[in-house]
Amino acid sequence: MRIAIDMDEVLADPLKKFIKLYNRDYGIPLDTLIDPGNEVYHHVPEHLDHKWYEYINEKGFFRDLDVIEGSVEALKKLQEQHEVYIVSAAMEFRNSLEDKLDWLAEHFPFISWENIIFCGNKIIDADVLIDDRIKNFNHFKGRTLLFSSPHNLLITGYERVDTWQQVLEKLYVEA
């Protein structure tokens, strides 16, 4: 199978970094537990909700994100049996391109540059797409796995995975 995998909130954790930066800059506690169905910016005062976009557009924001637990090991296992591609809508945030490429090289060095796709719309030819945003499933013809993130927890009607262990189980890959 050809498996396409999103980066943010699937492999990398931008929410944790946003919360850290917000707490640093404003000294206002922002909990890491975001209410189901809400974006992180819904949890900040309205006059500061633009900070999310300022942070993610800064050079370096995406460079040191935490790795989602279990993702490195799972991608190694998936790669043993399948073609694995990283597909990120990185074009949305111009400064993220180099950061994301360097981040992948550090944490997923076994994924070739030839298997990294930075795009706008995720119009791709793959058998499986693992993503946290259902908008990326709109024109996808293969199997979709919705990777759980606070903003999508109220969404139903999609095959959902909460962990990388569940991804391996659903794709019949031995853990």
Side-chain angles (χ1 to χ4, degrees):
M1 283 189 297
R2 184 177 292 161
I3 302 171
I5 302 168
D6 179 42
M7 283 185 71
D8 299 324
E9 298 181 61
V10 177
L11 298 176
D13 189 352
L15 297 178
K16 188 185 238 182
K17 179 147 184 201
F18 172 76
I19 290 167
K20 178 182 171 186
L21 293 173
Y22 181 83
N23 289 342
R24 178 200 71 194
D25 291 350
Y26 296 100
I28 303 169
L30 181 61
D31 198 340
T32 57
L33 298 175
I34 305 300
D35 292 335
N38 284 324
E39 300 284 353
V40 69
Y41 57 81
H42 292 135
H43 293 267
V44 300
E46 190 174 329
H47 70 284
L48 296 177
D49 69 0
H50 67 281
K51 283 308 285 184
W52 170 252
Y53 299 101
E54 287 179 20
Y55 287 142
I56 61 179
N57 280 296
E58 288 176 6
K59 181 84 176 115
F61 179 85
F62 291 93
R63 180 58 187 95
D64 61 352
L65 299 180
D66 287 352
V67 177
I68 299 291
E69 183 179 343
S71 61
V72 173
E73 299 81 7
L75 265 63
K76 285 180 181 177
K77 291 191 181 299
L78 288 171
Q79 198 174 44
E80 290 172 6
Q81 299 175 30
H82 306 288
E83 289 179 67
V84 174
Y85 292 85
I86 307 303
V87 181
S88 178
M91 301 306 290
E92 184 177 3
F93 308 110
R94 183 173 189 231
N95 287 326
S96 76
L97 295 169
E98 186 177 351
D99 289 345
K100 287 185 174 199
L101 190 59
D102 290 344
W103 186 89
L104 285 167
E106 178 182 345
H107 299 288
F108 296 87
F110 52 91
I111 301 289
S112 167
W113 64 269
E114 297 171 311
N115 290 57
I116 298 171
I117 303 166
F118 291 151
C119 55
N121 289 324
K122 294 183 183 176
I123 301 173
I124 53 172
D125 181 19
D127 300 300
V128 177
L129 174 58
I130 303 168
D131 208 307
D132 65 300
R133 301 265 173 201
I134 61 171
K135 69 179 184 179
N136 295 317
F137 298 157
N138 287 343
H139 301 288
F140 186 72
K141 293 178 174 65
R143 181 180 180 185
T144 58
L145 295 178
L146 180 61
F147 202 92
S148 291
S149 185
H151 68 84
N152 69 31
L153 292 178
L154 300 179
I155 295 172
T156 59
Y158 293 89
E159 188 175 5
R160 179 180 293 278
V161 289
D162 299 316
T163 66
W164 277 99
Q165 178 60 41
Q166 288 179 358
V167 170
L168 294 176
E169 290 167 5
K170 288 186 176 279
L171 298 179
Y172 307 106
V173 176
E174 285 192 36

